[in-house]
Amino acid sequence: MPLILGIESSCDDLAAAVVRDGREILSSVVQSQDAVHAPYGGVVPELASRDHVRYLHVTVERALVRAAVSLEELDGIGVTSGPGLVGSLLVGLSFAKALAYRTGKPLLAVHHIEGHLASARLERDPLALPFVGFVVSGGHTALYRVETLGRIELLGQTRDDAAGEAFDKVAKRMGLGYPGGREVDRAAQEGDPRAFAFPRPMLRERGLEMSFSGLKTAVALQVARAEEDAGGALPRRVRADIAASFQEAMVDVLVTKARRALAATGLERIALVGGLAANRRLRARMTQLEGELGVEVRFPPTALCTDNAAMIAAVADHMLREGRVASLELEAFSRVPLEARPEGWS
Ligand code: KG4
Ligand code: ZN
């Protein structure tokens, strides 16, 4: 029954968690920086890493106290080593290395995306393997075939912006507040998804590649046009219509790609993970697909969809069992594909 401490600091959220046996969450603490970045309408890397330095040690301590576990009782320390903002990653990684050095416990280097995919296995009733894993977050939009943790194959991904990034930029352009995705989701509730015909990129191409920068630009142009028509700020109604129409285009693309990934792999299970898995319209449409195809669609609870350290500890647990321990010399990697990790990562 290994006890693992997980640490996640790859972007703007700082998190620590203790997980037993790769599945049972004894504690999961997330220190959000939304208030730090809100005035800028986006993550400011320098502020993110500085805030991590300030709170990391109390966040880890809180996770250990809530789990009622001492450092000595741990079997391993798992930490996100990439991808992410390098300054942010280094804070968590340096701290984890120091802890591993001082306690003599093994250090497990976790890939952030593998963490997201593991969140589908963190429930009482985990999604059976193999499954299609659809990572829809602020930094990534990619489909994977998950055979088991450690055996994951990329099926297709976005060529440019991540879906969450497009949500955030659309929100910022319309002055909807930060973080943007949730605000677009909220504004869209009052809007008409058919009010504007935005493009559905890459639906005609057969593969599983995606692209969202054209859609984002089309929305920005529409916002500018509507502002001109209104002679100033957008009326609430128009804002809601644009939000709903953008969200519908996005969800159309994501649901179509999910359907194709199921068909291409012949798998009957799919997990949506990452911040966008909290989107109400995406959930509703995927639930429809579940009924239509008779497949199993899984959304982990929102707290596990967004960045957290329980998912990092879950992967670390698996790596420990396979003896894939990292060296204390390990660096942080801002960009690193899941399928081709650098030497020394393990
Ligand atoms: O997984 P996550 O916390 O961080 C990354 O690893 O990127 O995802 C954050 C992303 C942000 O782009 C945020 O705007 C988006 O998820 N998001 C949403 C919703 N909640 C969060 N997007 C659309 N609808 C939501 N309800
Ligand atoms: Zn993430």
Side-chain angles (χ1 to χ4, degrees):
M1 303 276 270
L3 269 179
I4 306 284
L5 169 69
I7 297 176
E8 155 64 40
S9 72
S10 66
C11 189
D12 57 331
D13 287 323
L14 177 65
V18 179
V19 171
R20 179 156 54 204
D21 218 17
R23 189 151 305 160
E24 193 189 342
I25 303 172
L26 301 188
S27 65
S28 180
V29 180
V30 179
Q31 167 82 24
S32 161
Q33 292 184 358
D34 286 354
V36 174
H37 304 288
Y40 308 93
V43 176
V44 183
E46 175 65 22
L47 296 182
S49 50
R50 266 197 254 164
D51 214 61
H52 287 342
V53 170
R54 198 144 144 213
Y55 290 107
L56 180 53
H57 130 269
V58 283
T59 306
V60 168
E61 197 158 287
R62 214 169 276 162
L64 290 168
V65 169
R66 282 192 198 160
V69 164
S70 67
L71 271 182
E72 289 66 37
E73 287 172 284
L74 293 174
D75 295 291
I77 297 160
V79 64
T80 308
S81 319
L85 300 169
V86 81
S88 287
L89 285 164
L90 277 172
V91 178
L93 182 61
S94 312
F95 189 87
K97 280 189 201 171
L99 265 188
Y101 179 73
R102 133 107 158 74
T103 58
K105 311 280 178 186
L107 178 74
L108 295 316
V110 177
H111 193 287
H112 185 76
I113 299 304
E114 191 167 6
H116 274 300
L117 292 167
S119 61
R121 304 270 303 152
L122 259 173
E123 295 179 78
R124 223 165 263 282
D125 153 37
L127 182 62
L129 294 160
F131 60 82
V132 173
F134 201 171
V135 180
V136 277
S137 75
H140 306 270
T141 308
L143 281 154
Y144 295 92
R145 178 191 176 95
V146 182
E147 207 60 51
T148 176
L149 289 181
R151 272 183 62 207
I152 298 170
E153 180 197 348
L154 177 68
L155 301 171
Q157 62 183 331
T158 177
R159 291 183 179 170
D160 40 56
D161 291 359
E165 200 177 339
F167 266 93
D168 292 338
K169 288 189 177 148
V170 164
K172 189 173 177 182
R173 181 65 188 82
M174 292 204 286
L176 282 176
Y178 175 86
R182 217 171 41 209
E183 299 305 321
V184 171
D185 186 344
R186 190 173 301 158
Q189 298 282 308
E190 302 170 15
D192 174 4
R194 287 172 307 271
F196 300 97
F198 291 129
R200 268 77 172 149
M202 318 240 352
L203 278 198
R204 250 172 270 143
E205 284 84 347
R206 296 199 141 265
L208 297 172
E209 299 283 293
M210 292 163 271
S211 159
F212 299 109
S213 77
L215 170 58
K216 178 192 70 186
T217 309
V219 176
L221 288 173
Q222 184 57 58
V223 173
R225 229 173 285 140
E227 278 172 347
E228 220 175 283
D229 290 348
L234 289 184
R236 188 186 170 101
R237 176 85 229 158
V238 179
R239 232 166 39 171
D241 283 347
I242 293 178
S245 303
F246 157 73
Q247 180 174 273
E248 199 64 18
M250 183 62 95
V251 169
D252 270 349
V253 175
L254 296 175
V255 172
T256 306
K257 296 288 173 176
R259 178 198 286 272
R260 283 188 195 162
L262 287 164
T265 55
L267 295 175
E268 293 181 338
R269 289 178 289 271
I270 182 166
L272 278 96
V273 298
L276 246 90
N279 183 269
R280 280 171 280 188
R281 187 64 187 147
L282 181 60
R283 281 181 176 246
R285 293 277 306 277
M286 285 301 296
T287 306
Q288 245 173 11
L289 190 72
E290 180 172 43
E292 184 193 325
L293 300 182
V295 295
E296 185 178 359
V297 175
R298 195 63 84 84
F299 304 93
T302 309
L304 291 178
C305 282
T306 49
D307 287 348
N308 65 88
M311 67 186 197
I312 302 305
V315 177
D317 180 280
H318 186 83
M319 295 180 87
L320 181 64
R321 287 167 204 257
E322 293 193 333
R324 289 158 60 204
V325 174
S327 133
L328 292 184
E329 319 276 300
L330 185 73
E331 297 170 41
F333 297 90
S334 60
R335 294 172 146 266
V336 51
L338 184 49
E339 331 66 71
R341 298 182 202 185
E343 200 69 18
W345 182 303
S346 85

